[in-house]
Amino acid sequence: MNIINYISSAAIPVIILLIVIYGVMEKNKVFDNFVEGATEGIGIVLKIFPTLIGIFLAVGAIRSSGILDLIIKAISPITSFFGIPSEIMPLALVRPISGSASTAVATDIMTTFGVDSKIGLIASTIMGSTETTFYTIAIYTSCVGIKKIRFVLIAALIADFVGMAFSVILWRFLS
Amino acid sequence: MLNKIWPIFIIISYVYAIFNGNVEQINNSVFNSTSSAVELSITFLGTICLWNGIMKIAQNTSIIPKLTKKLKPIINFLFPEMKKNEKAKEEISMNIIANVLGLGNAATPLGLKAMKTMQEENPKKDTVSNSMAMFIVLNTASLQLIPTTVIAIRASLNSANPTQIILPVWGATIVAAIAGITATKIFIKKESKK
């Protein structure tokens, strides 16, 4: 645990250090380079800001309206057919939509059922192995003004589903 | 995509909330969502500018070409159309490396940069190209080596073994990434046949 903590907190400083040392050794104007790059960053943020507001509005609506419980109830026959524990369902549904909401839901599941219980372990594995799909797609496409995403959402959701199903099956074997 | 999903999310939630007496919650959520978007953007402004700056330094050195060379076989397989675009390949490799190291704050700005470079070669500016599709799908699969956030949550909840999930997470990530890559390759093939 300590080693892992150390590695994860050392990663960013080490990378910055290496890059700066390389830049100095190759006699570049390191600070000018930095400022030039950082200036470009402002444009990127401005471009994704309106998308963020929109996404947060929609996600906030879903979270606060209570409709999630209804959806979970509605699809429970399908999920129980695949052997997905119903306790995991709120997490599985929220995970692709909202990062902060899924962190909250996962923490809630782990507190309720026990962090080292089978359900808690499945929730942890899902949290660690998936990303906030909708948000990622929205940010990556809006920064270059793309409107048509073809099959990207379906492919990404397939990957999410396979990862989640794998987590459930794996812990059934392990515990 | 968002032109369809966004109104669906809003209409369904608002109508449901109104009929179920959750109007107050939904009203609060409107104001909470704008302020959290602003908060996130301010964080973004810092990290995106920082990593763009650091990356600019790196791009003028020989580190990135060296790293890109190591990742070449994978990148050429995943992004056949970018074979000749060295800049795109560099940015894609840096994004993958940042993801693997769990540097979410660095991975997003690098990824957005790569999207911009790929957009230059994109014949249809309003539609994702094959390479962009693969790139986004790859970024929605969490490729990180050490799932730090979950480990931190588990530790804070007094787990007997917070890191117990690392191996299962690797398994799930790899399986999910392979599923995403395969699905993307199949969709690309199917569309090109039409």
Side-chain angles (χ1 to χ4, degrees):
Chain A
M1 185 61 201
N2 278 330
I3 296 170
I4 289 167
N5 271 341
Y6 184 77
I7 294 173
S8 44
S9 51
I12 288 185
V14 167
I15 288 172
I16 296 181
L17 179 67
L18 280 179
I19 291 173
V20 172
I21 289 178
Y22 250 87
V24 172
M25 278 191 339
E26 295 181 9
K27 299 198 169 62
N28 292 331
K29 286 185 178 161
V30 186
F31 189 70
D32 287 351
N33 290 162
F34 178 82
V35 171
E36 190 194 332
T39 310
E40 286 170 18
I42 300 172
I44 296 178
V45 179
L46 280 181
K47 207 145 193 191
I48 57 179
F49 179 68
T51 309
L52 275 183
I53 296 266
I55 293 275
F56 275 54
L57 182 72
V59 169
I62 290 208
R63 277 175 70 179
S64 58
S65 65
I67 196 162
L68 212 58
D69 304 322
L70 186 78
I71 298 172
I72 292 168
K73 243 185 217 156
I75 61 170
S76 67
I78 308 167
T79 51
S80 62
F81 176 79
F82 284 109
I84 300 171
S86 60
E87 296 91 336
I88 288 295
M89 278 318 291
L91 180 63
L93 284 179
V94 171
R95 186 63 192 127
I97 301 170
S98 162
S100 54
S102 57
T103 304
V105 173
T107 311
D108 183 58
I109 290 175
M110 285 184 239
T111 320
T112 313
F113 300 98
V115 77
D116 293 321
S117 68
K118 196 167 101 182
I119 300 291
L121 290 165
I122 294 174
S124 307
T125 310
I126 290 178
M127 275 309 283
S129 60
T130 47
E131 257 299 327
T132 321
T133 300
F134 281 86
Y135 165 81
T136 308
I137 296 176
I139 297 283
Y140 276 54
T141 50
S142 68
C143 79
V144 287
I146 280 176
K147 300 272 184 299
K148 294 176 194 155
I149 62 157
R150 294 159 67 192
F151 52 80
V152 169
L153 179 62
I154 301 166
L157 288 179
I158 290 174
D160 283 345
F161 178 77
V162 171
M164 289 181 192
F166 181 87
S167 309
V168 172
I169 295 165
L170 189 70
W171 281 111
R172 188 169 291 161
F173 277 109
L174 288 178
S175 55
Chain B
M1 162 194 71
L2 285 167
N3 283 327
K4 287 181 196 143
I5 295 173
W6 193 76
I8 293 176
F9 275 18
I10 292 202
I11 294 167
I12 293 179
S13 320
Y14 280 39
V15 169
Y16 184 84
I18 288 165
F19 279 108
N20 282 278
N22 290 342
V23 183
E24 209 169 301
Q25 282 94 317
I26 213 107
N27 179 45
N28 289 336
S29 85
V30 174
F31 298 102
N32 286 337
S33 54
T34 49
S35 56
S36 36
V38 171
E39 263 168 47
L40 186 63
S41 299
I42 291 172
T43 321
F44 261 175
L45 188 64
T47 52
I48 289 188
C49 290
L50 171 73
W51 286 102
N52 261 291
I54 296 290
M55 278 309 297
K56 203 47 146 208
I57 301 176
Q59 269 169 2
N60 289 321
T61 68
S62 57
I63 312 176
I64 293 183
K66 277 182 197 158
L67 287 173
T68 316
K69 220 175 226 168
K70 293 230 165 87
L71 283 174
K72 217 170 204 167
I74 306 170
I75 294 193
N76 283 343
F77 168 72
L78 293 176
F79 307 95
E81 287 145 4
M82 291 295 138
K83 234 170 200 155
K84 284 188 188 134
N85 192 335
E86 289 300 324
K87 195 178 166 212
K89 281 201 283 190
E90 281 175 5
E91 287 166 359
I92 293 170
S93 350
M94 287 314 290
N95 167 268
I96 293 177
I97 292 164
N99 269 321
V100 170
L101 293 175
L103 312 175
N105 284 335
T108 310
L110 297 172
L112 298 180
K113 244 179 159 237
M115 285 297 290
K116 274 200 162 158
T117 309
M118 284 189 269
Q119 176 76 331
E120 285 163 18
E121 277 197 9
N122 185 8
K124 280 195 221 152
K125 296 288 178 211
D126 68 335
T127 311
V128 281
S129 66
N130 291 344
S131 306
M132 289 167 146
M134 181 61 84
F135 186 64
I136 297 173
V137 171
L138 216 55
N139 265 285
T140 62
S142 160
L143 293 173
Q144 61 175 334
L145 213 52
I146 301 165
T148 42
T149 317
V150 189
I151 294 173
I153 298 174
R154 292 176 55 77
S156 73
L157 294 176
N158 297 321
S159 162
N161 189 355
T163 52
Q164 190 187 0
I165 47 124
I166 289 188
L167 279 177
V169 164
W170 287 352
T173 301
I174 291 167
V175 170
I178 291 172
I181 292 168
T182 314
T184 307
K185 288 262 176 197
I186 291 172
F187 278 121
I188 290 173
K189 245 197 184 145
K190 250 184 157 178
E191 283 192 358
S192 67
K193 270 185 190 159
K194 270 181 201 166

